[in-house]
Amino acid sequence: VQLQASGGGLVQAGGSLTLSCAASVRNFNAYTMAWFRQAPGKEREFVAHIIWGGSRQYYSDSVKGRFTISRDNARNTVTLRMNMLKPEDAAVYFCAGELGAIATTHPTEADFSSWGRGTLVTVSS
């Protein structure tokens, strides 16, 4: 599956930003979708993921309550709404997908086989 993330940009701390990821695949509704992020000098980390039907979402502790992941299976898109952004949220954000279910609520990079190019989020203090 090909994934294309968009929506990154510069935002002030406390502000909001919405990222989108468009998937080029016929059976998008069979994919578990996720967002990861990578800050300079740091490893890529899990942010959120959503199961194929969209009924369950999981978040890292650092974004829980501030970020919301959602999906539109009719449009083959997954969205990450980011509120109350902090300077430590600044990173390159990546969209990822995996066919079927994944076995953990807090996956790592290894749990996803399809990746898009990242989109940069900068948060000014």
Side-chain angles (χ1 to χ4, degrees):
V1 55
Q2 290 187 330
L3 303 173
Q4 180 65 53
S6 61
L10 172 64
V11 62
Q12 286 189 330
S16 299
L17 203 61
T18 299
L19 305 182
S20 294
C21 176
S24 298
V25 65
R26 288 187 178 182
N27 56 338
F28 177 72
N29 59 359
Y31 279 76
T32 296
M33 299 300 298
W35 288 95
F36 284 73
R37 67 186 182 187
Q38 188 167 18
K42 294 188 176 181
E43 294 185 352
R44 193 170 298 187
E45 65 172 357
F46 165 71
V47 174
H49 84 265
I50 186 167
I51 69 171
W52 56 91
S55 62
R56 290 189 181 269
Q57 307 87 37
Y58 301 91
Y59 300 91
S60 67
D61 289 343
S62 61
V63 308
K64 193 177 297 182
R66 300 187 297 120
F67 291 13
T68 302
I69 188 171
S70 61
R71 66 190 296 161
D72 184 339
N73 287 339
R75 299 189 177 193
N76 283 18
T77 58
V78 60
T79 299
L80 185 68
R81 174 67 175 177
M82 305 184 293
N83 295 326
M84 297 181 286
L85 281 160
K86 305 175 181 180
E88 52 264 42
D89 293 318
V92 177
Y93 283 71
F94 297 89
C95 177
E98 182 66 20
L99 182 63
I102 60 173
T104 174
T105 59
H106 284 67
T108 67
E109 287 184 78
D111 292 301
F112 291 86
S113 56
S114 298
W115 292 85
R117 291 187 177 183
T119 185
L120 177 64
V121 173
T122 304
V123 183
S124 62
S125 56

